[in-house]
Amino acid sequence: MLSRPVLITAAGITSCLMVLYTVSRTGHIPGTVDPPILGALTDSPKHVLVTGAAGFIGFHLTRALLDKPHARVFGVDNFDKWSDLKLKQDRAHELYEYGVALEDGDICDLEYLTDLFIRENFTHVVHLAGRSGVRGQDLDAAAIMENNVECFVTLLEVMKNYKNIKLVYASSASVYGSSSPLPFPPSHPVIQPDTIEGLAKRTVELLAQGYCKEFGVQQVGLRFFTVYGPWGREDSALNTFTQQLLEGEVLQVFHTREGRPLERDYLYVEDAVRGVLSALDLSPAHCGQVFNLASGQARSAVDVVALLEQQLNIQAQAVKVLAPPLEVVRMVGDVQCSLKQLGFRPNVSLNQGVQEFVQWALTYREQQNRSQKSKQASLAQKFRDRLLSERNEREERLQSESLARRNEELKAMVQQQRDVFLQYAEKNNIPLPDMTRGPFHFYPGVDSPGGDIIKATSLKNNPEAMKKRCLEAEQCVAFSSAGMLKSRVKPPHLWQQAAFSSPDQGIYVADVDMCAADLHDCDEHAVCNKTGPAQFRCTCRDGYYGNGQTCLPRYKVDEPLPLDVKRDGLISVFNGIDLQGMKTAAQFVFFQGMDSLGGDFMVAEQFRGQPKQLQSICMDIPQCIGFNSNGMLKMSMSRPSGWIRWSNKDSDGLYLLDLNYCELDLELCPEESRCQRHAPGIYQCTCEAPLVMVNNQCIQVPGYRNMSAAVYPGREVEVGGYM
């Protein structure tokens, strides 16, 4: 008998066990013979995929299918971190001993699932994988939606290509909300779940219905009520109460504020499995057909505790705990439709089912106690390790195959684009790159840094195989003995001595004309000339100045500006402000010995060291805002903190127009800051108090509320860098 109950609110205890309204998991009692499961499975040959096979219902279903003479079964479980992993491992080992083919796999993985359906010729899929029975502080809505909805979509995406495969999927009584009529009818047109889990399960039902209508996926849904029995989940009501009774702990039983205990529809796992077996042979009358799998009777947790007291011969010490607000007070399923169409009729009473469960729980508890005393890894743990090793090997294979497929797709796409370009070039007499590669020249003991495109480690120290691979690659011009294919080699004076183990190792360079192959990096205003195998030199054309990789137009007195310089000058208007007009009233500021890297657009090297002439030239060109004493005209500047010192001569340095750069660009500073002149030619951003500048953002930092702009002056901005 229960001791005198005491009402305790949820806020008055440290942790409330969510022991009701759960979906349990199943198995057989070691050392005993299970009663036969009388399912309606026909003798037609079947190859059934069971997802969540190491779960409660999946475990019992998998064993039941294996007992059928014309059925084969393949189990998949991902042993996720949310489940009772030890119990899952033990179930998995039981299945292995029973002869079930089982894999550690994730049905959320599209590549894995696609490969699995190719490997196995399934006729049926029973989808039991998912996350359920989570409440309170452990509730992770995103994870519930991912595991129940997104992973189900992955399964449906694969199955829409196999219209001959029938799907039986698990839903839950959680789809029924407190507004549903009793007993809960599966045909009720308006279903309003009260919980995240209920919303997820209802979404699964709608998705199944949609894929049935759109793609012809054959499917039947099963709404499981509170399934219980041997091998049930550790967090189930029955398991929790049993362990608390054996440990002498106080049981916490959910009640309403009026003192009424919550009631659930308890279904023994063998009856649940029999319902699944019947659904495998059902030809659904329409898309979206679902059935209740329930006993049709509601029993309270007080009734369950009384049965456990009787079986364990232990008097319970229990308290009433106020149920969470979203818990439905009474849940009972209408099974008339299941009876008529599935022939489903529960056979095991709650009294008998609890007796079977207690026998298993005591045996399993004794086994676990013996296992804990032994320091050796259990057979179940060893089997789990083997499954994990097989999964890692399989994922490596799938990843390799996926990469190979993508490479082939990319090659086909590139070839298609190349063919289109070749046809266009031939039609319009456009010269094509010449990728003719002559013999490979060997240079021992050295390597060229950079230019790597592919590492073929398996082919290292095999020059013939590497040569073949290099010739297959579109832009390969060299390779090293270490197995690295290269699209570029540096000039020989930049090669490095490599730590090769023998003198016959080094770099192999093809005799290819990098200029003709269009594999050079010369400026558009430069000429490329071959200087050796995969070697070239860039030289700026007449009228341009630079190193060949960058060629700037030369300023010529009394000659028109180049077209590209004129083009840039036409767009030198910012926020409606004419830059040329601002320049007329501005003065140049000189920074001795400094230079700003980048921003160069033209060179007047004939006026090197003549600042007056360079100032006049800069004022005449609209986009020019400064220059250095070497004659490099600039249209933008880097941050002053990034300037370099290149000379100690008093006459050398950087000249910058002292313009109002804040007025030129209203987005120069981040939000909630102001732009102001810091020094001639240099402007800074200062955050509005009490914000401070961090990574060019104005944010509030604890402890710096009263920091002033003078102490924390912001940062120097990129002067002219926005132009």
Side-chain angles (χ1 to χ4, degrees), residues 137-415:
Q137 295 180 349
D138 295 329
L139 178 64
D140 185 343
I144 289 176
M145 286 297 176
E146 178 184 0
N147 280 265
N148 289 284
V149 179
E150 295 180 24
C151 298
F152 187 58
V153 170
T154 303
L155 176 62
L156 291 173
E157 279 294 303
V158 174
M159 290 196 64
K160 74 181 184 182
N161 301 315
Y162 298 87
K163 293 181 174 59
N164 59 322
I165 300 179
K166 182 177 178 180
L167 170 66
V168 176
Y169 67 91
S171 183
S172 166
S174 60
V175 300
Y176 298 109
S178 55
S179 61
S180 299
L182 290 172
F184 296 151
S187 58
H188 191 250
V190 180
I191 297 180
Q192 296 177 328
D194 293 333
T195 64
I196 294 295
E197 178 189 342
L199 289 170
K201 293 298 184 183
R202 183 56 182 152
T203 303
V204 163
E205 294 179 355
L206 295 174
L207 284 168
Q209 180 179 351
Y211 272 78
C212 175
K213 292 180 177 179
E214 290 286 343
F215 305 108
V217 176
Q218 305 177 60
Q219 48 77 38
V220 175
L222 301 175
R223 292 174 182 164
F224 291 96
F225 280 65
T226 304
V227 183
Y228 73 99
W231 293 97
R233 281 173 38 168
E234 288 183 341
D235 60 352
S236 68
L238 218 59
N239 221 329
T240 302
F241 286 156
T242 299
Q243 299 307 317
Q244 288 176 336
L245 283 168
L246 293 172
E247 297 293 336
E249 299 176 358
V250 176
L251 279 60
Q252 299 173 344
V253 183
F254 284 152
H255 283 66
T256 65
R257 289 189 178 274
E258 295 75 25
R260 179 183 173 185
L262 303 187
E263 296 179 86
R264 295 293 178 259
D265 191 328
Y266 292 92
L267 179 68
Y268 191 63
V269 65
E270 290 182 358
D271 287 331
V273 167
R274 191 160 52 85
V276 178
L277 295 177
S278 298
L280 285 172
D281 280 326
L282 177 73
S283 297
H286 56 83
C287 290
Q289 193 163 13
V290 293
F291 298 93
N292 285 338
L293 290 187
S295 68
Q297 299 179 4
R299 301 290 295 271
S300 72
V302 175
D303 296 333
V304 173
V305 173
L307 290 173
L308 289 173
E309 286 181 312
Q310 179 182 346
Q311 294 297 324
L312 294 169
N313 194 24
I314 300 175
Q315 183 175 356
Q317 299 294 319
V319 293
K320 292 181 180 180
V321 177
L322 186 62
L326 294 181
E327 289 291 345
V328 179
V329 177
R330 191 167 190 262
M331 301 189 73
V332 57
D334 184 344
V335 294
Q336 292 302 311
C337 183
S338 304
L339 173 62
K340 293 177 181 178
Q341 299 193 44
L342 296 179
F344 172 75
R345 186 189 302 273
N347 292 333
V348 182
S349 67
L350 183 60
N351 187 19
Q352 180 184 354
V354 169
Q355 180 180 353
E356 295 290 334
F357 170 79
V358 168
Q359 291 179 13
W360 168 80
L362 293 175
T363 303
Y364 185 73
R365 180 183 174 92
E366 183 180 350
Q367 289 178 344
Q368 296 309 300
N369 290 335
R370 289 199 303 266
S371 176
Q372 290 177 1
K373 293 178 181 179
S374 174
K375 296 183 179 180
Q376 295 182 348
S378 66
L379 293 176
Q381 179 61 52
K382 292 179 180 179
F383 177 63
R384 169 76 182 100
D385 293 341
R386 196 186 87 181
L387 288 179
L388 185 59
S389 176
E390 292 173 353
R391 175 174 179 168
N392 292 335
E393 293 176 0
R394 184 176 64 249
E395 288 179 348
E396 289 182 5
R397 173 180 62 83
L398 291 176
Q399 185 179 15
S400 177
E401 292 175 355
S402 175
L403 182 60
R405 285 195 303 270
R406 291 172 184 170
N407 285 340
E408 290 300 321
E409 293 171 358
L410 181 60
K411 287 172 62 177
M413 182 182 68
V414 171
Q415 185 60 46

Side-chain angles (χ1 to χ4, degrees), residues 549-601:
Q549 278 77 34
T550 301
C551 296
L552 301 177
R554 296 177 184 270
Y555 176 80
K556 296 182 180 179
V557 182
D558 299 329
E559 287 192 14
L561 295 174
L563 289 178
D564 51 351
V565 175
K566 284 185 176 180
R567 177 200 63 208
D568 292 336
L570 290 175
I571 60 175
S572 59
V573 176
F574 299 85
N575 296 323
I577 299 173
D578 183 5
L579 178 61
Q580 188 65 24
M582 288 184 65
K583 290 171 59 175
T584 304
Q587 299 292 324
F588 281 94
V589 182
F590 177 60
F591 299 89
Q592 189 276 325
M594 306 302 293
D595 195 9
S596 171
L597 299 179
D600 306 327
F601 72 95

Side-chain angles (χ1 to χ4, degrees), residues 59 84 86 185 221 249 290 381 473 490 570 667 721:
F59 169 80
D84 32 15
K86 179 64 172 63
E249 299 176 358
V290 293
Q381 179 61 52
K490 293 182 178 294
L570 290 175
E667 297 182 358

